[in-house]
Amino acid sequence: PNGFESTLQNPVINEATPLSSGTYYLIVTNAQGCESTPVELEITVFPQGEQPTVVANNNTICEGEDIVLSTSTQCETYQWIGPGGNSVGTLMNPLLTTTTSMTSIPFGDEAYSGGMWSIICLNESGCGSSASGEIEIVINEVPMAPSPTSTTTFICSEEPVQLFAGQYQNITAYTWYDLNPADVNATIISTEQNPLLTEITNSGFYTYWLTIANGSCVSEASPITVEVSQFPQVIAQNDG
C-alpha cells in the first residue's frame, strides 16, 4: 500500500498513517534466486486521536479545594496527566482515566498535586492523541487561624488601643471585623496589619475578629476582647 517496497528482512514504516493500511506481501528469495510463494499480511493503521485542549475551573486554588479539569474535545477515553506522570500504574486511578470530559480530584487523593497538567485523548480505536498543551495548577496553603493581641485588654473610654495581628509567612491581607465574619452583620473596621482604634467612647466589652489571607485563601477568624471603662466622675460635696 501507498507505494511501499523494501528488500530488508525486517523493514520499518516510520510515521505510519491510515494510508499505510492494506495487504502486504512477503516473498523470500534464496541464494539460488528461487522465490517463495507470496505470504499475505493484513495491516490496519487507525487514525490518531484528535489533540485536545485542557482547561481548569480555577488555575489557583486553596488547599482542600478540588482540582477540576475539563476539555471540549470529544474522546472515547480521557487520560489526565499531572505531576505524577502517565505510567500505567498512575493512570489506573479512575480520576485520571475517565470516559467523561471532566475530572474532579479531591484533596487527599494521591493524584492531588499542584504543577503542570495536560490531557491525552483516546479515540474509539484506542489510539492516543498527542498530549495537549500544559496548564499550571497552583495550590495555596490556607493560613492557620491567627492569634491577635493588643497593647492592653483594659482601657478607659476615649483612650486608643493598638491591635496586633502577629507575624506570619506568605500573608497578603489582614482583615479586622467588629463581629465574627460568619455573621452577615459583620463590618470591616480595618485592613491594616496592626490598626490603632481611637473612637471607643462607651464602656463595655468589645470583641474584634481577625482573618488573614494567602491570596484568596482565608483563615478562620480569631477574636480578641478589650474592656473599656468610663473615667470615674468626681462629685463635689461642697459647692461653696
Side-chain angles (χ1 to χ4, degrees):
N2 206 26
F4 176 78
E5 185 176 322
S6 177
T7 58
L8 297 176
Q9 181 178 356
N10 301 305
V12 175
I13 302 175
N14 294 314
E15 299 182 358
T17 70
L19 294 176
S20 304
S21 298
T23 304
Y24 291 79
Y25 298 89
L26 171 64
I27 298 174
V28 178
T29 304
N30 63 19
Q32 287 73 40
C34 300
E35 295 183 346
S36 69
T37 301
V39 176
E40 295 184 4
L41 178 63
E42 192 70 26
I43 298 292
T44 301
V45 180
F46 294 103
Q48 188 180 41
E50 177 186 355
Q51 184 178 29
T53 56
V54 62
V55 296
N57 273 19
N58 290 295
N59 290 76
T60 300
I61 62 175
C62 301
E63 188 175 43
E65 296 178 339
D66 290 358
I67 298 174
V68 181
L69 306 172
S70 62
T71 181
S72 60
T73 308
Q74 297 299 311
C75 312
E76 189 73 13
T77 303
Y78 303 82
Q79 294 180 337
W80 309 91
I81 314 301
N86 61 346
S87 68
V88 173
T90 298
L91 293 178
M92 287 180 65
N93 185 327
L95 298 178
L96 298 182
T97 299
T98 68
T99 56
T100 59
S101 60
M102 185 191 76
T103 189
S104 182
I105 303 170
F107 177 73
D109 188 271
E110 61 183 358
Y112 189 87
S113 179
M116 307 307 294
W117 285 83
S118 62
I119 182 176
I120 292 175
C121 180
L122 277 64
N123 59 24
E124 62 278 0
S125 302
C127 296
S129 68
S130 300
S132 70
E134 294 183 318
I135 60 172
E136 184 176 12
I137 299 297
V138 177
I139 302 177
N140 286 328
E141 184 179 0
V142 179
M144 297 289 289
S147 300
T149 59
S150 67
T151 48
T152 180
T153 56
F154 180 88
I155 62 171
C156 295
S157 61
E158 300 183 9
E159 288 183 344
V161 60
Q162 182 91 53
L163 302 179
F164 297 97
Q167 298 296 323
Y168 311 94
Q169 296 293 322
N170 302 319
I171 298 304
T172 58
Y174 301 83
T175 309
W176 296 85
Y177 298 86
D178 60 352
L179 297 171
N180 188 327
D183 189 325
V184 295
N185 296 313
T187 300
I188 296 174
I189 61 171
S190 179
T191 56
E192 297 180 9
Q193 181 176 357
N194 304 309
L196 180 66
L197 306 183
T198 59
E199 299 180 359
I200 306 176
T201 57
N202 297 323
S203 61
F205 291 89
Y206 292 81
T207 299
Y208 304 99
W209 297 78
L210 171 66
T211 63
I212 56 178
N214 175 14
S216 62
C217 305
V218 182
S219 72
E220 294 183 1
S222 295
I224 182 171
T225 300
V226 176
E227 182 182 359
V228 178
S229 178
Q230 292 283 1
F231 281 107
Q233 292 184 344
V234 178
I235 300 176
Q237 296 296 320
N238 184 347
D239 58 3

